[in-house]
Each structure stands twice: as structure tokens, then as C-alpha cells.
Amino acid sequence: MRHLLLPLALLAAPLAAQDSLPPAPYAYVQLPDPAQEARAKALMETLRCVKCQGQSIADSDAPMAGDMRSQVRERIAAGEDPEAIRAWLVERYGDYVSYAPRVTATTWPLFAAPLLLLALAVLLLRSRFARGGGTA
Amino acid sequence: MTSPVAKPARWALWLPLVLFGAFVALVLVGLWRPADREVTSAMVGKPLPDFALRAAVPDRPGLARADFADGKPRLLNIFASWCVPCAVEAPQLARLKAVGVEIHGAAIRDRPEDVAAFLSRHGNPFTRIGADDVSSIQLAIGSSGVPETFVIDGKGVIRYQHIGEIRADQVGLILAKLEEAGQ
């Protein structure tokens, strides 16, 4: 049993670097109105936690993600549009904070490239099938 | 009718190896120079948004938007008593204060007694300290962690964001940014 304690202590160490305040009001509390909660949840799943960048704020247990969730829920409850909240955050953290990519001057090739490749494949296949049909 | 099988050109034989080599090089570059994962604020160059925070400790007033923008550039330091790098940068903040820089602080998710203990242990370079229990000022100015230090010019415009602790060799950089903001 004792040889388990050291690994456990090491696991617990990062928690010491956290604050001791209770979470923000709506960090772990759903909104009373299910429709509003659904809108908040949908938005939270597409916002990046800036502290733990591989996760959305809906997935993350970081205190800052909790604070972001609370703010999202409070604003939705106040009647704000989810996309307005996203725009507010993008204005502060840049596009990186949103998991829903936008078509902009720098990102359009990402959207155009698959279409171009698909068109190229169709052209290649058509000429190949046309030739095959001719010799058979 | 037999069409002769086209023989690939000699150079084409090496193509897979070249591609593989390029892939290995890409991986090695990623290993030795990992991507910068810091989220920088998009608010640099924009005015400080409106906020008002209650006092974090009894002996310093709270902090609001109105405490900036009086013609004098100053620092806004985002810190917390539970943040280890914040203790590391304390001597640098003390040096900045010693040369006449005014520093306002925002204590993130902190209890008054913890802030007071932190300040009595590491020194108090702050003129005002606002308490932010829900990271609201961080979200408002695009800050993603502690510590972060923002240079605010005399008009209340955010001019520079310093992510992470101010190290001993970075005091000059902060002073230069303050001077830039004062022009």
C-alpha cells in the first residue's frame, strides 16, 4: 500500500497550483431553461479552452474553462445570441478560440482545396473510363 | 497490340525516399522547436474594456477602467497567490516600481487572506488591486493565464502584452514598452 503513496502524491501535486475559490456560479450548473441550456451547450462545445488547448470549454475542468462556461451561460440567459458571444471571444483571443472555422482571406484555401482535388479526380477518372470503354 | 510498360525515369525511383526524408525532417523540426502554444491577446492596440473590480486586500483600493487613461502609461499585472511564476516575477515588479512605474494588479480567483499573505511574503508593488473571482477581466482583455502583464498607455489603450513571468533580463523590455506607450 505504501509504495502507492508516492505516485499518488505526484499525481496530486499539480492540483496545488490551483486556486481555492469555489467555481463560478454557472460553471457546473445548468440553466433552468432547457432550450437556453441547449444553446449554451452547443456553443460551449465549439469554444476552445485557452488554458488547456486541446479541449473545448465544455470538456475542460480548468478553473478558467469553468469561468468561461459560467459567462457563456449567464449571457445566454440574458438573451444574447450565441454567435455574438463567439464573436466577442474571437475579438479578444483571435480565431483560435473558436472550433467553428470561418472562411476568411487566409482560410479559404482549406475549403477550396478539397473541392479542387475532387474535381481533378473526376476529370482523371472520366478520361480513364472513356479510354477503357473505347478499347474494350 | 501490346503497349510497352512505361519505365519510370531514374530520378523517380528516388522520389519515395526523398518524400520520406522530408517527412522525417518535418517531425524533427517539430520535436526540437515545438509550436508556440501561447494564446496572444487580440486586444493589443484596442482600448481597455470597461470593468470594475472590488478591492482584493483591505489596504489597497479596487481597480476599474477609470483608474487608467489619465495621461500616464502604467502596467496592469494579472496575478494570483496560487501562481508560482507570479512569485518568481515579484523582484522584477519591485524593480519596476522602484524606478517609478505605477503597477495596478488584478488578483485572479483569490481569497483576500491568501493575497495578503502572498504580498507580505513577496512584496507589494501595486497601487491598486482588484479581485476577479470569475476571470472576467482576463476574458475581457484576452488574457489566458497568470501571470500576464499589460502595458496600458495614457489614453487607456492596451499597447503590449507580456505572457508569463517578467524575468530579470526582461525588465528593460518592459521599460522600453512603457516609454513607447508614453510617446
Side-chain angles (χ1 to χ4, degrees):
Chain A
M1 186 59 213
R2 198 185 303 165
H3 62 274
L4 269 175
L5 285 178
L6 181 65
L8 279 177
L10 288 174
L11 276 174
L15 290 175
Q18 303 272 4
D19 59 281
S20 54
L21 277 197
Y26 284 101
Y28 294 94
V29 177
Q30 299 194 339
L31 290 172
D33 178 352
Q36 285 184 339
E37 175 60 27
R39 278 205 298 280
K41 184 94 170 88
L43 177 63
M44 291 186 301
E45 278 167 356
T46 59
L47 289 176
R48 185 190 299 273
C49 168
V50 287
K51 195 72 142 279
C52 33
Q53 295 161 14
Q55 289 181 304
S56 76
I57 59 169
D59 290 332
S60 172
D61 255 337
M64 194 166 183
D67 288 345
M68 286 172 84
R69 282 197 301 275
S70 192
Q71 188 161 137
V72 163
R73 285 192 172 114
E74 280 163 32
R75 286 169 158 219
I76 296 262
E80 208 171 321
D81 180 58
E83 287 313 305
I85 301 171
R86 185 197 306 283
W88 188 87
L89 282 166
V90 167
E91 196 187 328
R92 276 147 181 86
Y93 292 101
D95 282 330
Y96 191 65
V97 76
S98 170
Y99 277 124
R102 294 185 304 172
V103 186
T104 65
T106 45
T107 60
W108 69 265
L110 291 172
F111 295 85
L115 295 176
L116 281 174
L117 287 173
L118 206 64
L120 195 69
V122 169
L123 277 177
L124 282 173
L125 286 174
R126 260 185 58 184
S127 65
R128 179 157 282 203
F129 282 134
R131 217 172 40 209
T135 51
Chain B
M1 192 182 147
T2 56
S3 64
V5 177
K7 235 177 147 184
R10 272 194 94 82
W11 62 266
L13 289 174
W14 294 95
L15 203 57
L17 184 65
V18 170
L19 282 176
F20 176 71
F23 175 73
V24 169
L26 190 71
V27 170
L28 289 180
V29 167
L31 277 177
W32 270 303
R33 282 200 17 214
D36 188 357
R37 297 280 181 232
E38 280 162 355
V39 184
T40 55
S41 171
M43 290 296 279
V44 176
K46 295 183 195 162
L48 207 56
D50 208 19
F51 67 91
L53 303 174
R54 65 172 165 81
V57 283
D59 63 340
R60 290 287 190 281
L63 187 64
R65 168 75 167 86
D67 299 318
F68 296 86
D70 63 349
K72 185 179 150 193
R74 36 167 86 68
L75 296 180
L76 169 58
N77 182 247
I78 309 286
F79 77 104
S81 70
W82 44 266
C83 142
V84 178
C86 296
V88 173
E89 79 173 354
Q92 282 71 258
L93 290 181
R95 264 170 69 195
L96 285 164
K97 182 189 158 65
V99 296
V101 176
E102 192 172 47
I103 308 170
H104 288 337
I108 305 299
R109 303 187 59 82
D110 230 336
R111 293 184 305 183
E113 58 267 36
D114 293 338
V115 179
F118 178 87
L119 295 176
S120 68
R121 186 170 167 195
H122 301 287
N124 186 348
F126 304 109
T127 314
R128 293 173 161 271
I129 309 173
D132 186 354
D133 295 342
V134 291
S135 310
S136 61
I137 190 169
Q138 286 198 287
L139 294 174
I141 62 177
S143 153
S144 53
V146 280
E148 283 188 18
T149 305
F150 291 79
V151 173
I152 316 290
D153 75 9
K155 294 196 191 91
V157 175
I158 302 171
R159 297 291 290 268
Y160 174 71
Q161 177 196 24
H162 187 92
I163 298 177
E165 76 276 15
I166 300 169
R167 292 192 293 272
D169 58 344
Q170 291 170 329
V171 173
L173 167 81
I174 299 292
L175 285 171
K177 294 289 178 187
L178 275 164
E179 196 175 327
E180 224 173 84
Q183 281 160 6

